[in-house]
Amino acid sequence: MNLDATDKKILGLLQSNAQLTMKEIASRINLSLTPVHDRIRKLEREGFIDKYVCLLNRRKLGKSLLVYCNVTLDKQRKESFEEFNAAISSMPEVLECCVVSGNFDYLLKVVANDVEAYNQFYQQKLSVLNSVLHISSFFVMSEVKGTTELPL
Amino acid sequence: MNLDATDKKILGLLQSNAQLTMKEIASRINLSLTPVHDRIRKLEREGFIDKYVCLLNRRKLGKSLLVYCNVTLDKQRKESFEEFNAAISSMPEVLECCVVSGNFDYLLKVVANDVEAYNQFYQQKLSVLNSVLHISSFFVMSEVKGTTELPL
DNA sequence: GTTGAAACCGGTTGTCT
DNA sequence: AGACAACCGGTTTCAAC
């Protein structure tokens, strides 16, 4: 399926604020309720919209530390990747994890309350994995930008 | 303000699905409508909930390429940081950008349609900045995990 | 904190152009 | 595909317990 300009406008509005009413969306793009309604349902059905969520405030929740870390796996062991993927998936501290090109294997984005909590995570959950060969951590000192909005 | 177990349950539900009705939330945590309503409004007012958004499907929108890149700035120039921050803020391709500890300055998360589009971005938008000294790009080959849900 | 009622508003559906 | 109108369900506010 192909998106037209109207669909993109709707997606743009919803990804910046999912609480906009259909009325508001309709008036902003100069349309009536019905087509807005039908288009949104279609965009959901077709999988353009993955889910509706609320974004929580990291600092308010005490998770003031953000850390990116590079992980290299022991590639001698064939089970390493599955093992590591499964382990990571069940760690709530890890928000993002992906396999990257370059001289290490994984890039992780991790949240923690403070340096001590991160150290706990590092020593007791990450470095204990048999699949892990090497880890290097990069502490985030300042967040310039952090959005979930994709360009349309 | 301090969160109790009930608040955390509510936040947990909302950050996984912001379309749950108050009725549904109430029944899942064995409470009546009124306190659920009041708690959510309070969590919004106090800033625990930043915003409600919808998450779009990157691939469906043609943005199948995810790239992380490390950027080193020219620290001889005092204006470099402000210049770079301002430039990045206005680039829709850049979803995340932060200052990190270690041997480079910034870590960026960038989306693009394909390698060619990324190269365009790289050559015409990123490397042309006077503040930029060095860039290295890491292409994401597989996304193991990618969530906006914070641990509670 | 619970229950119930009432007003309001947005989402939903059917029908028409 | 878009407009209009009627209906349904959730939210919001109130009261009383």
Side-chain angles (χ1 to χ4, degrees), chain B residues 31-32 34-35 39:
Chain B
L31 234 85
S32 65
T34 321
R39 279 168 185 268

Side-chain angles (χ1 to χ4, degrees), chain B residues 6-22:
Chain B
T6 305
D7 290 322
K8 289 185 183 175
K9 281 186 201 166
I10 294 176
L11 290 177
L13 290 169
L14 284 177
Q15 76 173 158
S16 82
N17 180 5
Q19 287 200 320
L20 289 173
T21 64
M22 294 189 178

Side-chain angles (χ1 to χ4, degrees), chain A residues 21-23 33-34 37 41:
Chain A
T21 64
M22 294 189 177
K23 252 188 201 174
L33 256 170
T34 320
H37 176 264
R41 287 300 99 90

